[in-house]
Amino acid sequence: MFRKVGVIGCGTIGSELALAIDSGRVKKAALVLLYDKVENVAIELKSRLENSNTTTFSSFSQFVSSPAFANADIIVEAASQEAVKKFAKTIIQRGKDLLIMSIGALAEGDLLHELLDIASKKEVNIYIPSGAIAGVDAIRSVKHLLESVTISTTKSPKALSGAPFFEKARIKPESIAKKRLIYEGTARDAVKKFPANVNVAAVLSMAGAGMDATKVKIIADPDITVNQHEITAKGKFGEIKIVVRNTPSPSNPKTSYLAVLSALECIRSICDDNIRIGT
Ligand SMILES: NC(=O)c1ccc[n+]([C@@H]2O[C@H](COP(=O)([O-])OP(=O)(O)OC[C@H]3O[C@@H](n4cnc5c(N)ncnc54)[C@H](O)[C@@H]3O)[C@@H](O)[C@H]2O)c1
């Protein structure tokens, strides 16, 4: 079956996905619509596509009421936690599958349960790629046996800057001269204080022990050139230790290149595969 794909957010992840689908890297998918809240961003991305049948929008109400949306099968959110909070319910309510990148939004109140409830009634799927981490399959397999799960994220102060955490903290990213632990807390709290940095903590939580039992440490290191995530999980099954050292995306140092590739592989697998590997 050929799948018609729409993308919300035409930044680092959205652009790479759109260009990859447009260039035929996902055989059974067509890119039909693009939406970004910033005027002209979707239009600029469309100008880089080979296929001119993609409709662009800078208003969600126009996006969601368009014929292209009515015909779409799957919408990819690659925008922000705000976009998930505002638009996810409407999208699945209209019977569209939804792939979510800004997973931290699901830590908010009952949003996740509300989305799952609508998805079940509408018989649609919500897809959550493993993003910038590895080993989500293993964590899912042992979730009922987990005694502890911690993710330690090390990024440069530049990649962490802009996080709401710094509004109340005594330290400022630009004053961090050597490697130091700047934050320790639950995944539920971390995704609010570092919304653009630790979506991975939300993915890990949903796969395993939940938002309150998953612990997060954030380390700022001015000398690091990668985005590093180290996961340690323990329980009756033994111990899992995973270290991922990601190249940051050139256009957005907060976003690891692996996150872009993971979103693309998720779409490719949904559209093209008759086999599920590692799920
Ligand atoms: N799951 C993961 O592992 C993972 C990894 C990296 C990034 N992310 C998340 O994915 C999202 C996209 O990342 P990115 O690097 O492409 O970001 P980006 O900043 O490069 O691009 C985001 C784009 O979305 C647009 N946008 C933001 N809010 C919007 C809204 N409410 N409506 C419409 N457009 C909106 C912006 O104008 C921008 O063009 C971010 O929320 C990021 O935190 C998740």
Side-chain angles (χ1 to χ4, degrees), residues 93-124:
Q93 190 78 52
R94 304 277 176 100
K96 310 299 170 192
D97 286 346
L98 177 63
L99 184 154
I100 301 177
M101 288 308 292
S102 308
I103 327 292
L106 304 180
E108 196 73 38
D110 284 334
L111 182 58
L112 174 61
H113 294 117
E114 286 169 15
L115 293 180
L116 291 175
D117 192 40
I118 304 170
S120 157
K121 286 182 185 134
K122 291 283 170 182
E123 296 186 4
V124 298

Tab-separated table of all heavy atoms in Angstrom, residues 93-124:
chain	number	residue	atom	x	y	z
A	93	GLN	N	-7.685	12.205	15.911
A	93	GLN	CA	-9.155	12.274	15.858
A	93	GLN	C	-9.650	12.214	14.404
A	93	GLN	O	-10.706	11.661	14.117
A	93	GLN	CB	-9.594	13.603	16.501
A	93	GLN	CG	-11.078	13.749	16.751
A	93	GLN	CD	-11.507	12.981	17.986
A	93	GLN	OE1	-10.926	13.145	19.039
A	93	GLN	NE2	-12.496	12.123	17.838
A	94	ARG	N	-8.851	12.790	13.490
A	94	ARG	CA	-9.239	12.775	12.066
A	94	ARG	C	-8.813	11.472	11.383
A	94	ARG	O	-8.806	11.393	10.149
A	94	ARG	CB	-8.601	13.954	11.326
A	94	ARG	CG	-8.907	15.318	11.904
A	94	ARG	CD	-10.260	15.856	11.423
A	94	ARG	NE	-10.553	17.123	12.073
A	94	ARG	CZ	-10.373	18.320	11.525
A	94	ARG	NH1	-9.929	18.402	10.297
A	94	ARG	NH2	-10.660	19.411	12.197
A	95	GLY	N	-8.370	10.503	12.162
A	95	GLY	CA	-8.097	9.174	11.605
A	95	GLY	C	-6.741	9.021	10.951
A	95	GLY	O	-6.540	8.125	10.118
A	96	LYS	N	-5.768	9.892	11.329
A	96	LYS	CA	-4.435	9.780	10.744
A	96	LYS	C	-3.475	9.101	11.722
A	96	LYS	O	-3.524	9.382	12.934
A	96	LYS	CB	-3.850	11.170	10.401
A	96	LYS	CG	-4.775	12.062	9.602
A	96	LYS	CD	-5.143	11.454	8.267
A	96	LYS	CE	-6.252	12.228	7.588
A	96	LYS	NZ	-6.824	11.507	6.438
A	97	ASP	N	-2.588	8.266	11.199
A	97	ASP	CA	-1.486	7.762	12.022
A	97	ASP	C	-0.577	8.944	12.342
A	97	ASP	O	-0.472	9.891	11.545
A	97	ASP	CB	-0.677	6.707	11.256
A	97	ASP	CG	-1.426	5.378	11.144
A	97	ASP	OD1	-2.425	5.195	11.858
A	97	ASP	OD2	-0.991	4.534	10.343
A	98	LEU	N	0.093	8.884	13.488
A	98	LEU	CA	0.943	10.002	13.901
A	98	LEU	C	2.288	9.485	14.395
A	98	LEU	O	2.349	8.608	15.261
A	98	LEU	CB	0.236	10.787	15.024
A	98	LEU	CG	1.004	11.956	15.642
A	98	LEU	CD1	1.282	13.054	14.614
A	98	LEU	CD2	0.233	12.537	16.828
A	99	LEU	N	3.355	10.029	13.824
A	99	LEU	CA	4.710	9.726	14.308
A	99	LEU	C	5.173	10.940	15.110
A	99	LEU	O	5.128	12.063	14.613
A	99	LEU	CB	5.635	9.482	13.116
A	99	LEU	CG	7.074	9.051	13.413
A	99	LEU	CD1	7.641	8.258	12.231
A	99	LEU	CD2	7.982	10.218	13.720
A	100	ILE	N	5.566	10.704	16.362
A	100	ILE	CA	5.913	11.818	17.258
A	100	ILE	C	7.412	11.819	17.540
A	100	ILE	O	7.979	10.812	17.983
A	100	ILE	CB	5.143	11.706	18.595
A	100	ILE	CG1	3.630	11.703	18.341
A	100	ILE	CG2	5.522	12.845	19.537
A	100	ILE	CD1	2.789	11.528	19.604
A	101	MET	N	8.061	12.968	17.307
A	101	MET	CA	9.475	13.125	17.677
A	101	MET	C	9.634	13.864	19.012
A	101	MET	O	10.563	13.578	19.765
A	101	MET	CB	10.238	13.896	16.585
A	101	MET	CG	10.477	13.128	15.307
A	101	MET	SD	11.235	11.499	15.537
A	101	MET	CE	12.881	11.906	16.110
A	102	SER	N	8.749	14.832	19.300
A	102	SER	CA	8.897	15.636	20.525
A	102	SER	C	8.202	14.922	21.681
A	102	SER	O	7.197	15.379	22.245
A	102	SER	CB	8.311	17.034	20.299
A	102	SER	OG	8.854	17.604	19.132
A	103	ILE	N	8.762	13.776	22.042
A	103	ILE	CA	8.093	12.837	22.954
A	103	ILE	C	7.925	13.392	24.357
A	103	ILE	O	7.049	12.960	25.091
A	103	ILE	CB	8.918	11.534	23.105
A	103	ILE	CG1	9.659	11.145	21.844
A	103	ILE	CG2	8.064	10.391	23.606
A	103	ILE	CD1	8.786	10.733	20.764
A	104	GLY	N	8.813	14.345	24.718
A	104	GLY	CA	8.730	14.919	26.062
A	104	GLY	C	7.344	15.478	26.350
A	104	GLY	O	6.922	15.532	27.510
A	105	ALA	N	6.618	15.872	25.313
A	105	ALA	CA	5.262	16.420	25.497
A	105	ALA	C	4.351	15.412	26.185
A	105	ALA	O	3.386	15.794	26.858
A	105	ALA	CB	4.676	16.797	24.142
A	106	LEU	N	4.642	14.136	26.041
A	106	LEU	CA	3.747	13.105	26.577
A	106	LEU	C	3.896	12.930	28.091
A	106	LEU	O	3.174	12.134	28.690
A	106	LEU	CB	3.965	11.777	25.839
A	106	LEU	CG	3.793	11.862	24.318
A	106	LEU	CD1	4.018	10.518	23.667
A	106	LEU	CD2	2.411	12.394	23.945
A	107	ALA	N	4.839	13.687	28.678
A	107	ALA	CA	4.975	13.649	30.146
A	107	ALA	C	3.909	14.511	30.808
A	107	ALA	O	3.693	14.453	32.010
A	107	ALA	CB	6.357	14.156	30.551
A	108	GLU	N	3.264	15.337	30.006
A	108	GLU	CA	2.309	16.324	30.515
A	108	GLU	C	0.965	15.672	30.858
A	108	GLU	O	0.311	15.106	29.975
A	108	GLU	CB	2.090	17.366	29.410
A	108	GLU	CG	1.460	18.657	29.836
A	108	GLU	CD	2.421	19.542	30.629
A	108	GLU	OE1	3.618	19.591	30.286
A	108	GLU	OE2	1.967	20.142	31.580
A	109	GLY	N	0.546	15.759	32.107
A	109	GLY	CA	-0.797	15.334	32.528
A	109	GLY	C	-1.225	14.003	31.938
A	109	GLY	O	-0.483	13.028	31.971
A	110	ASP	N	-2.434	14.012	31.361
A	110	ASP	CA	-3.016	12.773	30.838
A	110	ASP	C	-2.893	12.669	29.330
A	110	ASP	O	-3.580	11.844	28.711
A	110	ASP	CB	-4.505	12.725	31.195
A	110	ASP	CG	-4.686	12.377	32.652
A	110	ASP	OD1	-3.794	11.714	33.221
A	110	ASP	OD2	-5.714	12.775	33.226
A	111	LEU	N	-2.056	13.512	28.716
A	111	LEU	CA	-2.034	13.573	27.260
A	111	LEU	C	-1.826	12.197	26.616
A	111	LEU	O	-2.542	11.826	25.681
A	111	LEU	CB	-0.958	14.564	26.777
A	111	LEU	CG	-0.877	14.752	25.266
A	111	LEU	CD1	-2.204	15.229	24.686
A	111	LEU	CD2	0.235	15.741	24.892
A	112	LEU	N	-0.866	11.449	27.132
A	112	LEU	CA	-0.582	10.146	26.526
A	112	LEU	C	-1.819	9.237	26.565
A	112	LEU	O	-2.190	8.633	25.552
A	112	LEU	CB	0.596	9.463	27.249
A	112	LEU	CG	0.903	8.045	26.800
A	112	LEU	CD1	1.287	8.002	25.322
A	112	LEU	CD2	2.028	7.440	27.638
A	113	HIS	N	-2.486	9.185	27.729
A	113	HIS	CA	-3.655	8.300	27.843
A	113	HIS	C	-4.800	8.774	26.945
A	113	HIS	O	-5.503	7.971	26.338
A	113	HIS	CB	-4.097	8.188	29.304
A	113	HIS	CG	-3.060	7.488	30.123
A	113	HIS	ND1	-2.399	8.084	31.152
A	113	HIS	CD2	-2.519	6.242	29.995
A	113	HIS	CE1	-1.515	7.250	31.653
A	113	HIS	NE2	-1.562	6.115	30.970
A	114	GLU	N	-4.938	10.100	26.859
A	114	GLU	CA	-5.989	10.643	25.974
A	114	GLU	C	-5.705	10.260	24.520
A	114	GLU	O	-6.602	9.838	23.783
A	114	GLU	CB	-6.057	12.164	26.099
A	114	GLU	CG	-6.703	12.629	27.396
A	114	GLU	CD	-6.528	14.127	27.643
A	114	GLU	OE1	-6.172	14.854	26.696
A	114	GLU	OE2	-6.724	14.539	28.781
A	115	LEU	N	-4.437	10.382	24.121
A	115	LEU	CA	-4.075	10.051	22.734
A	115	LEU	C	-4.295	8.556	22.461
A	115	LEU	O	-4.822	8.173	21.415
A	115	LEU	CB	-2.609	10.411	22.441
A	115	LEU	CG	-2.256	11.903	22.446
A	115	LEU	CD1	-0.774	12.107	22.135
A	115	LEU	CD2	-3.104	12.679	21.450
A	116	LEU	N	-3.908	7.730	23.431
A	116	LEU	CA	-4.066	6.277	23.238
A	116	LEU	C	-5.541	5.902	23.146
A	116	LEU	O	-5.928	5.027	22.366
A	116	LEU	CB	-3.376	5.514	24.378
A	116	LEU	CG	-1.849	5.585	24.373
A	116	LEU	CD1	-1.275	4.909	25.609
A	116	LEU	CD2	-1.288	4.942	23.105
A	117	ASP	N	-6.349	6.592	23.939
A	117	ASP	CA	-7.789	6.329	23.937
A	117	ASP	C	-8.390	6.670	22.555
A	117	ASP	O	-9.121	5.872	21.971
A	117	ASP	CB	-8.409	7.196	25.051
A	117	ASP	CG	-9.825	6.784	25.326
A	117	ASP	OD1	-10.081	5.573	25.322
A	117	ASP	OD2	-10.676	7.680	25.516
A	118	ILE	N	-8.026	7.855	22.042
A	118	ILE	CA	-8.561	8.262	20.726
A	118	ILE	C	-8.026	7.315	19.644
A	118	ILE	O	-8.763	6.887	18.747
A	118	ILE	CB	-8.165	9.723	20.371
A	118	ILE	CG1	-8.609	10.699	21.451
A	118	ILE	CG2	-8.780	10.143	19.031
A	118	ILE	CD1	-8.047	12.119	21.302
A	119	ALA	N	-6.733	6.990	19.742
A	119	ALA	CA	-6.112	6.125	18.715
A	119	ALA	C	-6.810	4.770	18.665
A	119	ALA	O	-7.052	4.213	17.585
A	119	ALA	CB	-4.625	5.945	19.010
A	120	SER	N	-7.179	4.265	19.849
A	120	SER	CA	-7.852	2.969	19.900
A	120	SER	C	-9.248	3.062	19.267
A	120	SER	O	-9.647	2.206	18.467
A	120	SER	CB	-7.905	2.519	21.359
A	120	SER	OG	-8.926	1.628	21.557
A	121	LYS	N	-9.963	4.143	19.583
A	121	LYS	CA	-11.316	4.318	19.009
A	121	LYS	C	-11.249	4.502	17.498
A	121	LYS	O	-12.090	4.001	16.758
A	121	LYS	CB	-12.011	5.523	19.643
A	121	LYS	CG	-12.480	5.235	21.059
A	121	LYS	CD	-13.216	6.417	21.659
A	121	LYS	CE	-13.553	6.107	23.109
A	121	LYS	NZ	-13.250	7.193	24.018
A	122	LYS	N	-10.262	5.260	17.050
A	122	LYS	CA	-10.154	5.575	15.615
A	122	LYS	C	-9.376	4.512	14.843
A	122	LYS	O	-9.215	4.607	13.623
A	122	LYS	CB	-9.457	6.935	15.436
A	122	LYS	CG	-10.292	8.098	15.905
A	122	LYS	CD	-11.374	8.400	14.871
A	122	LYS	CE	-12.392	9.391	15.356
A	122	LYS	NZ	-13.438	9.640	14.373
A	123	GLU	N	-8.820	3.554	15.580
A	123	GLU	CA	-8.015	2.477	14.968
A	123	GLU	C	-6.852	3.035	14.151
A	123	GLU	O	-6.649	2.693	12.980
A	123	GLU	CB	-8.892	1.553	14.122
A	123	GLU	CG	-9.914	0.830	14.976
A	123	GLU	CD	-10.708	-0.200	14.221
A	123	GLU	OE1	-10.430	-0.433	13.047
A	123	GLU	OE2	-11.620	-0.775	14.840
A	124	VAL	N	-6.132	3.978	14.775
A	124	VAL	CA	-4.920	4.505	14.141
A	124	VAL	C	-3.728	4.193	15.037
A	124	VAL	O	-3.884	3.809	16.204
A	124	VAL	CB	-5.009	6.034	13.890
A	124	VAL	CG1	-6.133	6.370	12.937
A	124	VAL	CG2	-5.141	6.810	15.188
